[in-house]
Amino acid sequence: MSVNQQAHTGPPYGQPQPGYQGYQQPAYGGQPLPGVPQSQYGAYNGPMPGYQQPVPPQGSLRAPPTSGAPPPASGASVPSSHLAYSQFGHGDVQNGIPASAAPMQRPPASQPFLPGSAPTPVSQTSTFQQYGPPPASVQQLSNHMAGMTIGSTTASAPPPAGLGYGPPTSIPPVSGSFSATGSGLYTPYTASQGPPPTSVSQGLPLAQPPFPGQPISTQRLPTQVPGFAPPPSSTGIGPSSYPPTTGAPRPPTMPGPPLPGQTVAGPPTSQPNHVSSPPPPSAMSGPHPGPPMSGLHGPPPPTHPPQPGYQMQQNGSFGQVRGPQPNYGGAYPGTPNYGSQPGQPPPPKRLDPDSIPSPIQVIEDDRSNRGSEPFVTGVRGQVPPLVTTNFLVKDQGNASPRYIRCTSYNIPCTSDMAKQSQVPLAAVIKPLATLPPEETLPYLVDHGESGPVRCNRCKAYMCPFMQFIEGGRRFQCCFCSCVTEVPPHYFQHLDHTGKRVDFYDRPELSLGSYEFLATVDYCKNNKFPSPPAFIFMIDVSYNAVKSGLVRLICEELKSLLDYLPREGNMEESAIRVGFVTYNKVLHFYNVKSSLAQPQMMVVSDVADMFVPLLDGFLVNVNESRTVIASLLDQIPEMFADTRETETVFAPVIQAGLEALKAAECAGKLFIFHTSLPIAEAPGKLKNRDDKKLINTDKEKTLFQPQTNFYNNLAKDCVAQGCCVDLFLFPNQYLDVATLGVVTYQTGGSIYKYAYFQLEIDQDRFLNDLRRDVQKEVGFDAVMRVRTSTGIRATDFFGAFYMSNTTDVEMAGLDCDKTITVEFKHDDKLSEDSGALLQCALLYTSCAGQRRLRIHNLSLNCCTQLADLYRNCETDTLINYLAKYAYRGVLGSPVKTVRDALINQCAQILACYRKNCASPSSAGQLILPECMKLLPVYLNCVLKSDVLQPGLEVTTDDRAYIRQLVTSMDVAETNVFFYPRLLPLTKADVDSDSLPAAIRNSEERLSKGDMYLLENGLNIFVWVGVNVQQGLIQNLFGVSSFSQISNASSTLPVLENPFSKKVRSIVDMLQVQRSRYMKLIIVKQEDKLEMLFKHFLVEDKSLSGGASYVDFLCHMHKEIRQLLS
């Protein structure tokens, strides 16, 4: 087979990039293996040398790839310096949980493919088991493998000289590729069995499949083979690892390319074996990471049946092998390589993307393992299923994960241990979260005039963890241990276990979440609140009128006002409404029900804002329906010929605030605003946008408000319970960082529609407006988080205001907003009693009822770091780290923030490596099982627009995203940082389910397919240039690729199964998100494709962000520096 197989100009879509095939390599361990030709190891998970391999059908399943190294045989002797390499750290199969431990943590269903082994179809219990004693020597292991036939050759045949050019049958297995002294047998993990920690060995294929035609042995090989030990002088990954972009392990320096069959003698120049340096960059073709070398491979034909001997595997699984690629050449004999001398950083090399942890695989495994059973909250410290898994929650004493998620459910007993691990202890709390219809809403408990029962000292509310003593006459607080008398009306006898006999009748004794009706003592000025009001404030300047926005808002409000939020059993909403329009001056409207026509009052003195009318400004919708309808008809006509382009902004908020003050109620302002407020008025702003500040120390000023005026205004709004929701329609810089201050500090929401065009953005805006007006919201809210002795809440993130160190104040809190709380130790915790959190939210409901919503959660405490690392939740950890970083940019240069993030994560992983993983080669990256996605997700945060903006990202976009993420929940940050990518052409039109997601990388896309990508703000439909004409006709109603229009923001409604299926997928995704996502149609090789590629987060980004593979190597380097 010739090396110059087929010229290849660009990376083929649709299959994993092959990297540089079969570069000649040093033997593992630093010296050549006697009797083994160097060229025989194929690329990292590349195709087997000398095979023409077909590709499986492009479905959601893909055949396991071949890995470069053939399976071992007994022929070659192995120097004792070779410690065999394995996917897992030595002895880590238990992953810290004793074999008897009960509920195990998310076992992935992926089985490592290893030489000569296949997943055995044996059902196993969920405890961890190790099989068989380890073989005593290398020889035993080799004997173990001897006699295994591959192709038609017997295992004892001598290796051919020119591997990679010979016929397929001439590839014997060689035991040099894995052998170990004292390694145990390989265990294929079944789905139910606990996984070992994930380890990624640099420069080696992570797992090797059986060859086609090889009898799949059912023996269990060792679960643990330590990584190849590097020679003492080597520095492990060192400089050679960053940033690898493509290719296979690279050979040491040599004078010239050896001929086929020639072995290279002599030890390599101090190269760490796990990172054999990569080939020279000059050989790269194609602009982005991971192109195949030109001249080496041809693009694979789209479909072939998978070869026998390969088990189909879910796309992108970790440590699993990838579908064999057809038409890929055999091993390349090697080239001279430049720059691998010590002291000079060698050019990049590439890990195989399929051998590193896959988010898709982890999500799929969790769904299959934990999606079917309800999550019962009765047990302390249980890690819930992932946010991407659909599951039911049964509240039996701890709050549902829909309300609270923690970064770890087993927290260190001491602050020293917490500092050592660097794992932040935080909870992401969503107090008013919406529950699915199958789950019951929190019960409302009314204790009458006496109000809720509380601890005398710390004021914690009665909850399931309080301990009743003295026959039920007193209770001991679970938070501060103080003993409190039980009020006579609340007394109840205890049963033989010490539980009250009315335990199950009282939500506050048996459930994790419930509500109390608050007494007058919990109300402002000791009087019950009035129902809240909504005030709609519409910009009627030239831009707003000309774009059709004013007319659109007025038309929509006519029907929308019938859907104001109301209490469950009420006939109509208790919320009153008012209307203001503004440009340089403000117009108030009297819509009193007794009037025949609305009256307009103008306030032009914006420097001293007041409300010109009290009676008739805030009205009941039903009573004033005709007057309101008349007003909404007149507004677009009144301002149709306006020439006023300037607007004010702060006086608009002041007007709303004054109106609510006068009515003595809380409420929400809906402000529809189009431009930078440059008119002479309080809060006037200037255009300070400056791209030159990016990457300088002054960049942080772009995120800070221009003036303190808005901070003070926000404080006044919070005091009154005036929440501000802002709908922005900018055509240029608007200064979101300043305009958003009041919204952000009052607990409101910002929506932004840049370059608003009626036909494109109308649906999105109207859907957002409808949901925003209708959603559940609490007003005048105060939240406090209490903790048991030993930890306390020290830091808070979200959209709120704080006037002291404990109370989180929000003028409004809706069902989508989260508050993130960080905890620190102030004393020792005990393993026996664990740790408790109680979140208490005091708020006014939309009917004007004062309520307390209580959420309780109990966590385990540990003295062993392994227990901490086994009970972490990576999605929540990323949510916290993103918020921490996004707040950091307000006061520090962005680079400092990025470096701090990388450093903290390296410390988390280094601490695990040092204290929890079994000793293994430094060349291996070992990740805790439940944190194996930390590097990929962290890289997504680092590459996000706030921390690493591309050229096309505006300053306003960055400020907008920064504020958005700060109050996102865990499910939203998960899809925002690692978008969901679905192959539409694989969708089953007859089922309701979504097609299986694929990984976010360009190399996963095929030119003949269509894909949908969603990140919570946008939905992209990407169409490949070679998509069948019939599919284009079915989805877009046009006959060819070139006729597809990007201008449309909707898919045409066509009567065919494919169109219906794709539209139902889009609708399904829209319902899951708190904002209506903008639909963008992207044609391959079109200018919009750059925007789409920005969201393929596993690839290198144009703004300089590392690819996942590069970043993993960089993290490994950081970890090794910390450990050394």
Side-chain angles (χ1 to χ4, degrees), residues 738-749:
T738 307
L739 297 189
V741 166
V742 180
T743 298
Y744 183 66
Q745 293 191 16
T746 57
S749 307

Side-chain angles (χ1 to χ4, degrees), residues 389-470:
T389 298
N390 266 335
F391 60 98
L392 271 182
V393 180
K394 288 201 172 142
D395 185 341
Q396 291 191 359
N398 282 293
S400 158
R402 303 191 206 288
Y403 294 123
I404 307 183
R405 277 188 178 263
C406 294
T407 51
S408 177
Y409 287 80
N410 200 333
I411 61 180
C413 281
T414 64
S415 61
D416 289 348
M417 191 172 152
K419 282 190 190 111
Q420 185 185 359
S421 75
Q422 285 288 313
V423 175
L425 306 175
V428 179
I429 306 173
K430 195 176 183 183
L432 298 179
T434 311
L435 299 183
E438 312 83 73
E439 294 176 21
T440 44
L441 294 169
Y443 289 100
L444 180 60
V445 180
D446 184 358
H447 283 317
E449 288 184 16
S450 56
V453 179
R454 302 175 70 176
C455 165
N456 270 346
R457 181 161 66 196
C458 71
K459 300 294 183 223
Y461 294 86
M462 180 53 65
C463 72
F465 314 119
M466 297 289 189
Q467 192 66 44
F468 288 88
I469 53 176
E470 296 176 25

Side-chain angles (χ1 to χ4, degrees), residues 140-162:
Q140 248 177 288
L141 204 51
S142 308
N143 296 344
H144 224 44
M145 307 299 290
M148 190 180 287
T149 56
I150 295 185
S152 58
T153 342
T154 56
S156 54

Side-chain angles (χ1 to χ4, degrees), residues 113-136:
F113 264 83
L114 292 153
S117 77
T120 41
V122 191
S123 67
Q124 286 166 334
T125 58
S126 63
T127 47
F128 299 91
Q129 304 160 12
Q130 253 171 320
Y131 293 94

Side-chain angles (χ1 to χ4, degrees), residues 950-988:
L951 288 171
E952 70 297 336
V953 179
T954 66
T955 304
D956 274 345
D957 284 335
R958 297 177 74 196
Y960 174 61
I961 295 295
R962 196 191 76 77
Q963 293 198 10
L964 225 54
V965 168
T966 308
S967 47
M968 274 185 183
D969 71 9
V970 180
E972 287 171 320
T973 50
N974 174 276
V975 78
F976 179 75
F977 289 115
Y978 192 94
R980 179 149 56 158
L981 183 58
L982 305 173
L984 291 178
T985 22
K986 306 282 184 293
D988 177 0

Side-chain angles (χ1 to χ4, degrees), residues 81-86 141 176-181 183 186 204 225-229 274 921 924:
S81 67
H82 292 14
L83 278 174
Y85 139 81
S86 135
L141 204 51
S177 70
F178 99 97
S179 58
T181 37
S183 52
Y186 280 90
L204 288 173
V225 186
F228 285 95
H274 274 69
S921 145
Q924 254 176 312

